[in-house]
Amino acid sequence: MTDTVAESIQELDQAQVLRTAAGSRRRRYLAVLLGWLVFIGLWWLLSLWVDSEARLPSPGRVFQEIVIILQGDFWTQFWASIVRVVAGFLAAVLIGTPVGFFMGRSKYWGNFLQSPVIVAGSIPGLTYAVMAFVVFGISFWGPVLAVGLIAMPYVAINVAEGVRGVDRRLVEMSTAYGRNETQVFRHVTVPSVLPFVFAGVRLSFSLAWKVGTLTEVFGSSKGIGFQIRRNYQLFNMPGVIAWVLLFVLFMLLIERFILVRLERRLFRWRQWEREA
Amino acid sequence: MARVAIDRLSKTFPPPTKGGDPVVAIGDISLDVEGNVFVSIVGPSGCGKSTLLNILSGVETPTRGSASVTEGDRPAHLGYVFQDARLLPWRTVMDNMMYVRDDGDAGAAKAALYLDMVGLSHTHDMFPGQLSGGMQQRVGIARAFSVEPDLLLMDEPFSHLDAITARSLRDHLQELWSATRKTVLFVTHDVVEAVQLSDRIIVLAPGGRIFDDITIDLPPRSPRQKPLVSRRGWPLRASGRRGPPPPSRGTRRR
Ligand SMILES: Nc1ncnc2c1ncn2[C@@H]1O[C@H](COP(=O)(O)OP(=O)(O)OP(=O)(O)O)[C@@H](O)[C@H]1O
Ligand SMILES: [Mg+2]
């Protein structure tokens, strides 16, 4: 009897929770949509006022251009950019992770590597873009190098933070129960550092895209950056804006649908973690 | 039967501030514990109780002297219940139980058995963050028992819990202990708790010295176990039929 009452109360609660969740999600989507509408509206008004396609084309004109691009070589160009950014990113993670690991593990290495990493992290992206162009000229490797250099410090600093934050008490527990170093590394160190690696990747992701694209503007014969420059040289302003918009849209999609989902899946346990 | 042999053990930590004095956590302790006894270690905060257990479990190394835990002529197998639960937050309860064992599927049954004993058989697939503090601590206790240790170290396992949860866990510990009869070293602040549970109480003084060593020689201990062994209503047993009052006639040996 009490059981059934308790159960039905619980069910009611759950239904309530679900309904509220759905409601708040709908409201969130509505807000996002509204934001875009306001943005496009303002743009439209501004373009009416400027009244010059060469300076500020109207949203409709840009939309036409987007359709043309999508029907044309959009995917080839995007693919070229993606491959470079991902390659640069992989390099950053492959180098940044061990560097960060040493920084977090030993004071000596921490001090030794700290200044170079911080300096590397505070150099403006444009510098890397120019540097990559000077080193490689027009090539596939220029953007890769620039992306790698810009993302590496973020990954390293975050990994170092993660390694320093490994809970000593969990390591002690492992020792007391006779776990060996490999087991401690795999089951304690890696899981506690992983969220930090991920944070580093997410932090530097948009930055890396920007720098990669910037490098393409002058150091490439393919990719979104190159397309922006080409349209600019042809005085095709709608084309420039169309490519920029596609670029922004694409980044948002990757962020929302790949990074955020991956993070949620990987760190399911964090949802319930209550910090004391 | 595990044997704990501590010989002129001391542990000094480096000074916490520059130019300060080193911290003496343990100052010259000698101690022998043998057989299936329940030994409590009591003493004020900072007198080196946790440090002593950490040395015995290999987490810390002695500064001077020696400490060994043996079972026959091999090193003893240990279980350790910490002041806090110390579960891996990224592993489920069951995976946490399995983390401390090396026997794969064969061990899963054992892990499940001990989880059941602390009333947590429904939590196998839950993450520690989904459990209350008391439940997490129970997982910690189940984990320590499930490795079937020769020596069980417990460091104020109930001190973070409310009185009612602490009491029911204490009863539960007594049940588990009378069923398994391990050698237990149990650290506590609480003298009443020590008297209720132990065969022997070691009192430490600040500076990590042995202040007193009391043997509780109490035959009526056995009838008291009867109601405690019968398992009913866990963890709601708050009425707690106690046995005879705490011993007033512990023989004191020095
Ligand atoms: N890793 C460490 N580094 C430096 N000092 C330490 C360390 N561990 C313990 N100490 C010091 O050693 C002393 C004894 O600490 P310990 O944790 O053993 O006390 P305790 O008896 O368990 O106290 P409590 O009852 O409060 O848990 C304290 O003064 C503490 O500051
Ligand atoms: Mg302590």
Side-chain angles (χ1 to χ4, degrees):
Chain A
M1 174 61 197
T2 44
D3 267 9
T4 49
V5 170
E7 268 167 28
S8 49
I9 287 177
Q10 209 172 354
E11 267 164 34
L12 271 177
D13 277 355
Q14 269 170 3
Q16 181 70 40
V17 165
L18 286 177
R19 214 170 311 125
T20 328
S24 81
R25 196 173 318 134
R26 209 170 308 134
R27 238 171 296 139
R28 210 167 56 222
Y29 285 146
L30 211 69
V32 170
L33 196 69
L34 210 68
W36 278 96
L37 284 178
V38 167
F39 169 72
I40 292 174
L42 283 176
W43 171 12
W44 181 66
L45 286 176
L46 205 66
S47 72
L48 278 184
W49 183 64
V50 171
D51 193 27
S52 151
E53 188 168 286
R55 285 202 210 123
L56 186 64
S58 70
R61 181 67 191 82
V62 170
F63 185 74
Q64 277 176 6
E65 195 71 26
I66 287 181
V67 172
I68 295 173
I69 294 172
L70 284 176
Q71 285 167 345
D73 59 350
F74 172 77
W75 288 110
T76 349
Q77 302 297 339
F78 255 48
W79 186 244
S81 293
I82 291 170
V83 169
R84 288 161 202 199
V85 169
V86 168
F89 235 95
L90 277 182
V93 170
L94 283 179
I95 297 170
T97 305
V99 166
F101 195 80
F102 281 118
M103 280 172 69
R105 252 299 156 80
S106 97
K107 265 211 175 104
Y108 175 79
W109 282 104
N111 291 330
F112 182 83
L113 290 166
Q114 185 151 21
S115 326
V117 166
I118 287 181
V119 168
S122 56
I123 292 175
L126 181 63
T127 318
Y128 287 122
V130 173
M131 214 166 91
F133 179 58
V134 169
V135 173
F136 287 107
I138 293 184
S139 120
F140 169 77
W141 294 106
V144 175
L145 179 72
V147 168
L149 284 173
I150 198 88
M152 199 275 284
Y154 283 86
V155 176
I157 287 174
N158 273 285
V159 170
E161 206 53 47
V163 170
R164 280 190 211 110
V166 170
D167 193 343
R168 212 192 67 234
R169 296 169 309 161
L170 292 179
V171 178
E172 285 176 6
M173 180 276 287
S174 306
T175 314
Y177 280 102
R179 303 299 86 189
N180 62 34
E181 268 187 45
T182 325
Q183 286 169 311
V184 175
F185 183 77
R186 214 182 113 202
H187 296 286
V188 180
T189 312
V190 170
S192 25
V193 173
L194 210 56
F196 288 85
V197 176
F198 218 82
V201 167
R202 277 193 63 184
L203 256 176
S204 53
F205 174 74
S206 65
L207 204 61
W209 262 102
K210 285 180 207 155
V211 172
T213 316
L214 193 62
T215 315
E216 283 173 352
V217 168
F218 38 104
S220 176
S221 54
K222 246 190 197 167
I224 306 165
F226 173 72
Q227 290 305 324
I228 292 175
R229 182 185 66 166
R230 204 178 59 104
N231 279 287
Y232 171 74
Q233 283 173 336
L234 296 172
F235 299 108
N236 180 13
M237 203 52 189
V240 171
I241 296 186
W243 277 103
V244 169
L245 272 185
L246 281 170
F247 167 76
V248 170
L249 216 69
F250 195 70
M251 263 187 37
L252 282 178
L253 287 182
I254 293 191
E255 163 86 17
R256 278 284 108 197
F257 289 99
I258 301 187
L259 290 183
V260 171
R261 292 218 171 160
L262 195 66
E263 191 167 25
R264 240 184 246 150
R265 157 140 336 165
L266 270 178
F267 307 127
R268 202 158 58 95
W269 58 271
R270 294 194 111 192
Q271 211 172 315
W272 296 293
E273 209 192 19
R274 270 167 275 161
E275 226 38 82
Chain B
M1 284 212 305
R3 170 154 192 256
V4 180
I6 298 173
D7 185 32
R8 307 215 59 182
L9 177 74
S10 43
K11 176 74 188 180
T12 314
F13 287 107
T17 51
K18 225 180 184 171
D21 293 326
V23 178
V24 180
I26 297 177
D28 201 15
I29 284 184
S30 296
L31 183 67
D32 250 295
V33 174
E34 193 164 10
N36 298 331
V37 286
F38 197 117
V39 180
S40 281
I41 300 170
V42 299
S45 184
C47 68
K49 306 179 297 288
S50 299
T51 307
L52 183 63
L53 296 198
N54 282 340
I55 289 176
L56 289 174
S57 63
V59 171
E60 303 271 9
T61 49
T63 311
R64 268 187 308 280
S66 68
S68 69
V69 186
T70 47
E71 171 77 21
D73 35 12
R74 65 172 170 85
H77 200 48
L78 299 184
Y80 198 153
V81 181
F82 299 87
Q83 245 167 315
D84 42 3
R86 302 209 186 181
L87 307 174
L88 304 177
W90 39 81
R91 291 271 184 278
T92 60
V93 166
M94 196 55 179
D95 287 347
N96 264 286
M97 298 288 287
M98 298 307 290
Y99 173 56
V100 298
R101 31 187 345 128
D102 298 307
D103 51 0
D105 287 346
K110 210 162 264 171
L113 176 74
Y114 282 93
L115 276 178
D116 189 33
M117 281 188 175
V118 295
L120 290 178
S121 44
H122 62 292
T123 64
H124 288 197
D125 299 322
M126 287 161 96
F127 287 94
Q130 291 172 284
L131 306 180
S132 71
M135 289 159 94
Q136 294 181 20
Q137 194 65 8
R138 266 142 74 189
V139 177
I141 292 171
R143 175 176 65 186
F145 274 92
S146 75
V147 299
E148 310 207 314
D150 309 310
L151 173 69
L152 185 58
L153 304 171
M154 305 185 93
D155 191 356
E156 303 189 44
F158 311 134
S159 65
H160 285 340
L161 307 172
D162 67 274
I164 292 174
T165 313
R167 183 201 258 178
S168 67
L169 279 181
R170 206 175 290 130
D171 291 351
H172 214 68
L173 171 63
Q174 262 186 331
E175 275 172 33
L176 276 172
W177 187 74
S178 27
T180 54
R181 293 271 169 183
K182 312 280 177 209
T183 310
V184 179
L185 287 188
F186 183 90
V187 167
T188 176
H189 271 120
D190 182 344
V191 179
V192 177
E193 184 175 73
V195 170
Q196 181 194 347
L197 294 168
S198 340
D199 301 307
R200 179 179 170 190
I201 301 178
I202 295 178
V203 185
L204 293 185
R209 297 175 174 281
I210 294 186
F211 177 74
D212 209 344
D213 188 342
I214 307 160
T215 302
I216 299 181
D217 181 11
L218 195 66
R221 195 181 154 80
S222 31
R224 189 181 60 185
Q225 283 161 6
K226 273 274 151 56
L228 289 170
V229 171
S230 75
R231 215 181 310 141
R232 56 168 178 102
W234 160 269
L236 288 173
R237 189 214 277 126
S239 61
R241 266 193 280 146
R242 274 305 90 110
S248 50
R249 52 205 161 91
T251 54
R252 214 176 137 158
R253 174 169 83 178
R254 187 79 250 243

